[in-house]
Amino acid sequence: MSPAAFAALDVSLEQLCARAGVPLSSRWDTDDFFRLWTAAEAEFDGRDAGLRFGAGGVALGYGVAATVALHAADFRGALAALSRYKRLSCPERVDVEANGDEVRVCYRWLAATGLVPRLLVDTCMASLTELARVGTAGAVAPIRVELARAPMDEALLRRHFGCPVVFSATHDAMVFKRAALEVPFVTADGGAFARVLQRFEQQLAAGVGFSGLLGELRLTIARQLSEGRSPSVDAVARRMHLSRRTLQRRLDESGTHFQQQLAEVRRLTASRLLANTELDTVAIALLLGFVEPNSFTRAFRTWERTTPLRWRERQRGCAA
């Protein structure tokens, strides 16, 4: 959801920024964006707040990319627009992955250094469901929701989405039947759609929006790890169709380096797995590409100033 989405809350944006401890802006980095949503979460008593907010946001036009997507010719075009133009308004990546008879719409916060706020995830998922419902006049609905968090509110979520909900997933995602891609949109407006896309393409060409390099790098590292492949700079550069020298030069220009980005991906993945699964530290170390479990423990101590197991206990204690 874009920064404009906060206008729907019953608290002013200035107050929300003050409570979150972030500057008033129309463009926040991922950490500040998460702090805003965490602060917003504290404003609501109902566990369904994100679901209501996301479902209402499409009609009210709070998501720029979703509003544009409504004018696409079909669900395939809508998802393509959502995926491409999301980064104009917030530091989020939406990947559309077709596999067999399913298509998976995956939300990735590749610059994140902490867990994604529950309210934000629920809002994104509800918004996508509403986009599909409104655009196709109810012909398309999800067949499964996958959430990268520990089980909670399952009955509430199943009622809202009308499908099974899987917890402790690798990423937050919504799954549809692949045939849904061809369903035409009743809200289509080819002329308006083409004009808006032209304007958005001009903005992307001018460098407007959130940088894609670090997001693409983190996604590539994550895919290498998930496939059990080496996360070395050479392997990752090849997968990004770049030379090692070009990748390192571009990272230097961005004020970072490869090992720092690898550590951030490992840190975030480790935090998610420790908080939301029962995997032991040996299994997590292997999933993160560490040769020795002790290497993972040492790295985790550097990141969090405690051991993985103590961190898990502390997180679950806070959630209780």
Side-chain angles (χ1 to χ4, degrees):
M1 301 289 286
S2 69
F6 292 111
L9 299 175
D10 292 329
V11 60
S12 72
L13 184 57
E14 291 82 359
Q15 290 174 321
L16 198 61
C17 287
R19 294 177 188 180
V22 303
L24 181 63
S25 173
S26 60
R27 180 182 170 87
W28 298 280
D29 63 22
T30 302
D31 287 343
D32 284 348
F33 198 60
F34 281 10
R35 291 189 186 99
L36 277 174
W37 280 92
T38 300
E41 189 171 315
E43 298 295 323
F44 297 101
D45 295 327
R47 300 289 294 180
D48 65 341
L51 303 177
R52 290 186 284 106
F53 189 29
V58 171
L60 295 172
Y62 290 132
V64 174
T67 300
V68 173
L70 274 176
H71 297 293
D74 51 28
F75 193 43
R76 181 191 299 276
L79 291 179
L82 188 68
S83 174
R84 180 158 180 78
Y85 302 115
K86 194 73 169 177
R87 66 187 178 94
L88 282 172
S89 59
C90 62
E92 176 186 15
R93 175 168 175 144
V94 180
D95 287 328
V96 181
E97 306 163 345
N99 184 22
D101 295 331
E102 298 181 346
V103 61
R104 187 167 179 260
V105 184
C106 184
Y107 289 79
R108 305 176 191 270
W109 297 87
L110 298 170
T113 58
L115 301 180
V116 186
R118 177 186 58 83
L119 182 68
L120 174 56
V121 174
D122 288 356
T123 298
C124 290
M125 293 298 175
S127 176
L128 178 57
T129 304
E130 187 70 1
L131 171 66
R133 186 192 69 80
V134 172
T136 66
V140 171
I143 60 173
R144 187 172 67 256
V145 174
E146 300 173 354
L147 298 175
R149 67 183 185 226
M152 65 175 67
D153 305 322
E154 182 174 5
L156 171 67
L157 295 169
R158 285 178 65 96
R159 283 197 304 271
H160 183 89
F161 295 117
C163 64
V165 179
V166 177
F167 294 95
S168 302
T170 56
H171 291 90
D172 298 304
M174 183 166 282
V175 184
F176 299 87
K177 291 181 179 178
R178 189 165 185 166
L181 294 174
E182 312 306 326
V183 176
F185 263 30
V186 299
T187 52
D189 184 341
F193 187 62
R195 288 192 297 273
V196 173
L197 292 196
Q198 182 180 23
R199 186 173 76 248
F200 278 8
E201 287 297 325
Q202 290 172 344
Q203 291 177 350
L204 288 175
V208 177
F210 293 81
S211 173
L213 173 65
L214 297 186
E216 185 66 31
L217 173 62
R218 291 190 179 194
L219 176 60
T220 304
I221 291 172
R223 285 176 171 166
Q224 287 288 108
L225 292 173
S226 68
E227 295 169 5
R229 300 176 184 272
S230 167
S232 68
V233 62
D234 290 318
V236 170
R238 283 195 301 272
R239 191 159 185 167
M240 294 177 68
H241 305 292
L242 298 172
S243 69
R244 174 179 179 145
R245 175 177 291 183
T246 297
L247 176 59
Q248 291 181 322
R249 175 178 55 78
R250 293 181 64 184
L251 289 175
D252 286 342
E253 292 170 352
S254 298
T256 185
H257 54 81
F258 181 80
Q259 290 302 320
Q260 179 180 347
Q261 296 305 310
L262 173 58
E264 288 294 342
V265 173
R266 282 173 161 168
R267 178 181 186 176
L268 181 60
T269 304
S271 298
R272 186 175 65 244
L273 293 174
L274 286 167
N276 301 323
T277 76
E278 299 301 328
L279 290 173
D280 61 31
T281 55
V282 174
I284 293 174
L286 293 175
L287 288 172
L288 296 179
F290 287 97
V291 177
E292 296 288 340
N294 287 340
S295 298
F296 166 54
T297 300
R298 286 194 297 270
F300 197 87
R301 279 183 176 276
T302 300
W303 301 330
E304 303 293 345
R305 301 294 188 266
T306 188
T307 67
L309 292 180
R310 287 176 181 168
W311 187 91
R312 171 182 272 170
E313 291 171 358
R314 186 175 65 203
Q315 293 298 310
R316 295 186 176 179
C318 292

